Amino acid sequence: FRKTLQDRLKASMKAKDKLSSTILRSVLADVYAADKKTGTLIDSSAIQSLLRKAAARREESAKQFETAARPELAENELKEAQLLKSLLPPQLSEAEIEAVLKPIISSSRLSTADPKRSLGVLLKAFYQEVDRSRVEGELVKRRAEALLNST
């Protein structure tokens, strides 16, 4: 994933696309800072997590600019967030999440006496099969709770 970002940066620089090259440089700076902090190269899922956080920060900034009556700045932040999201692989849909959760529920013996413990066991098993960067945590939790309550 790192190589993809570097290649996109080179392409945007050659195309003289200032917005893309600036955003990609800032993302790569975050990646390099994380590398330095950990002492090793971070993996693709950590890079994707950094991208999601950066996009969320920009969306939050856009909301604040909107409330401050600065639509031109909000529009710029939204463009940056959209660019960051375009770099990410698609997240799993609800149906795909359920397709992973249902076999886990049927194969494991989850106690109905302690629903919080059952949820914890289910989520742990889910994240052993699926990379965290591919799903939205809150959506997984809601679907898991709904499936546990329906059994």
Side-chain angles (χ1 to χ4, degrees):
F1 201 76
R2 177 187 310 264
K3 180 77 172 134
T4 304
L5 289 176
Q6 291 169 337
D7 291 343
R8 297 266 315 249
L9 174 61
K10 287 177 188 175
S12 67
M13 289 170 66
K14 286 180 181 177
K16 298 192 185 316
D17 182 358
K18 286 188 177 189
L19 178 68
S20 295
S21 59
T22 302
I23 298 301
L24 289 167
R25 279 188 187 119
S26 79
V27 167
L28 284 170
D30 289 344
V31 170
Y32 297 145
D35 287 343
K36 195 170 187 176
K37 186 176 182 182
T38 62
T40 61
L41 295 178
I42 60 174
D43 61 350
S44 290
S45 65
I47 293 172
Q48 291 172 13
S49 177
L50 283 173
L51 282 172
R52 288 190 204 292
K53 288 177 185 174
R57 273 196 313 266
R58 283 169 173 81
E59 287 174 347
E60 182 60 34
S61 295
K63 287 178 188 174
Q64 290 180 0
F65 284 135
E66 285 290 333
T67 58
R70 298 293 306 265
E72 69 283 355
L73 294 175
E75 182 181 332
N76 194 28
E77 291 291 319
L78 289 173
K79 283 180 186 175
E80 291 178 9
Q82 194 62 36
L83 176 71
L84 289 170
K85 287 182 178 180
S86 72
L87 298 170
L88 292 166
Q91 289 192 318
L92 295 180
S93 67
E94 276 191 55
E96 292 169 319
I97 291 170
E98 278 190 38
V100 175
L101 286 171
K102 285 180 180 178
I104 295 171
I105 291 173
S106 63
S107 68
S108 60
R109 292 182 218 103
L110 301 172
S111 71
T112 55
D114 189 5
K116 285 189 178 185
R117 180 173 168 78
S118 297
L119 179 63
V121 169
L122 177 59
L123 291 176
K124 183 177 180 182
F126 177 81
Y127 286 121
Q128 286 176 345
E129 291 186 28
V130 177
D131 187 11
R132 286 183 185 270
S133 66
R134 301 259 348 261
V135 294
E136 184 181 329
E138 193 60 36
L139 176 63
V140 173
K141 184 178 177 187
R142 281 196 317 267
R143 293 308 313 144
E145 287 172 342
L147 289 172
L148 283 174
N149 291 335
S150 68
T151 55

